[in-house]
Amino acid sequence: MAELFQSSLPIQGATLVLALLLCLCPHLRRRGRTIVAGLLALPALGFVVDLLVADHDFEQRLEVPNLYGRAPDGDPHVWIVDTVTAPSWHWHLAVVGIFGTLALIVFLFRGRPGDDADHGAQNPVLSPNPVFYGAVVFWFFLGGRLLLEATAARQSIVWGFSGTVALFAILPFFGFWCARRGVTAGGYLLRLLALAFAQRIPLVLFGWLATTRELGTHLDTHVITDLMVLPFGNLDLATPTDRWVWPTLFPQLTIWVLLTLLFGTALGILPFWLGRRSPAPATN
């Protein structure tokens, strides 16, 4: 698992850069968003050229790993929760779709008033809704990872292209967006909690569908037969529902929500303070 993490570090870095660009878009003017759309289109164009000039008909096999503490001692165990085989061009086309669609969306919304727009009725200041925008960016990376897994991309790519990695770029902007909307410190924590649930609930629901229908991806945990879960101890997972509740529902709506609150407070406090120093009117 350590080797997989190390091999995915370049993809994690690219994920952070991409998330940063998406979070910057509301603060850019028309020209800036056009440039971002062009930057997003470059990987799509590169993969299109690669598909045209090289043979990608060979089969590629992906084993999708997931890490859980296994009974009886809770030692970390790597479960292969899915195995996918597909022609190599499938995941190349998935990359084209991910970046091409995103570039098109940014380009189409390039004329929308941004957070740095001049005040006035004809050109209002529009900070993004922190909960909605932060959740949408997270869902984009989650959906992209599921697509890459379903098309048998390389392990390092699917492991690095992650909504959880993108959170480290989302959360500082989240604090700034809340401040720009005049949110109090208590309101910030409530919105941070709402963001955590907004991000994780769709993941949990898809995990139920994937596990009970054996659809594949890292959210299909039907192969997991036993876990050690604090404070409940060793658990035998006998039914599809058990194999969804304990590997997915419980940690996503407890551990990951708490981690989002923790990192959201740590990473968002300085941007929140900076945003409060120069509050801007916004529409809710």
Side-chain angles (χ1 to χ4, degrees):
M1 206 66 177
E3 181 180 347
L4 176 58
F5 178 79
Q6 291 176 359
S7 67
S8 70
L9 285 176
I11 307 300
Q12 292 184 45
T15 295
L16 284 174
V17 172
L18 180 55
L20 178 65
L21 288 175
L22 296 181
C23 292
L24 277 173
C25 276
H27 304 279
L28 300 177
R29 297 180 186 269
R30 183 185 184 96
R31 179 179 296 178
R33 293 176 187 174
T34 302
I35 293 173
V36 170
L39 291 174
L40 294 173
L42 288 177
L45 292 174
F47 273 81
V48 168
V49 172
D50 185 46
L51 285 170
L52 292 175
V53 302
D55 177 27
H56 293 85
D57 287 333
F58 58 90
E59 294 285 307
Q60 185 154 313
R61 186 171 183 266
L62 169 68
E63 291 184 339
V64 181
N66 223 331
L67 187 68
Y68 293 96
R70 191 171 189 180
D73 302 317
D75 294 333
H77 178 77
V78 178
W79 294 85
I80 302 300
V81 295
D82 190 20
T83 302
V84 185
T85 302
S88 180
W89 65 266
H90 281 198
W91 77 265
H92 284 70
L93 197 60
V95 172
V96 173
I98 290 170
F99 281 91
T101 300
L102 195 56
L104 180 61
I105 291 173
V106 173
F107 182 77
L108 291 177
F109 282 88
R110 68 193 186 283
R112 183 180 175 86
D115 186 59
D116 67 345
D118 297 331
H119 294 194
Q122 300 302 317
N123 197 13
V125 174
L126 295 177
S127 292
N129 183 299
V131 174
F132 177 76
Y133 198 79
V136 166
V137 174
F138 179 88
W139 296 338
F140 164 75
F141 286 97
L142 173 62
R145 177 173 179 176
L146 296 177
L147 180 60
L148 291 169
E149 289 174 344
T151 53
R154 296 171 184 170
Q155 264 194 351
S156 59
I157 295 176
V158 300
W159 195 258
F161 196 86
S162 164
T164 300
V165 173
L167 266 180
F168 287 95
I170 295 170
L171 291 174
F173 280 92
F174 182 84
F176 185 76
W177 295 332
C178 285
R180 295 281 284 182
R181 285 178 166 252
V183 173
T184 64
Y188 171 69
L189 292 177
L190 289 175
R191 283 165 176 79
L192 189 57
L193 182 64
L195 173 69
F197 280 107
Q199 290 173 336
R200 299 293 166 175
I201 287 176
L203 183 155
V204 166
L205 294 177
F206 183 81
W208 175 83
L209 189 65
T211 300
T212 57
R213 301 294 187 271
E214 299 184 12
L215 299 181
T217 76
H218 72 286
L219 296 180
D220 176 1
T221 52
H222 78 275
V223 302
I224 298 177
T225 57
D226 56 89
L227 287 177
M228 202 286 282
V229 180
L230 293 174
F232 302 99
N234 297 326
L235 301 172
D236 291 323
L237 310 181
T239 68
T241 300
D242 291 338
R243 295 173 184 179
W244 166 69
V245 168
W246 296 108
T248 302
L249 176 68
F250 177 74
Q252 292 294 334
L253 297 187
T254 56
I255 297 171
W256 284 108
V257 168
L258 291 174
L259 286 175
T260 302
L261 289 173
L262 175 64
F263 283 106
T265 302
L267 297 175
I269 186 169
L270 179 59
F272 182 79
W273 177 75
L274 293 173
R276 288 291 296 270
R277 292 193 65 187
S278 56
T283 57
N284 293 315

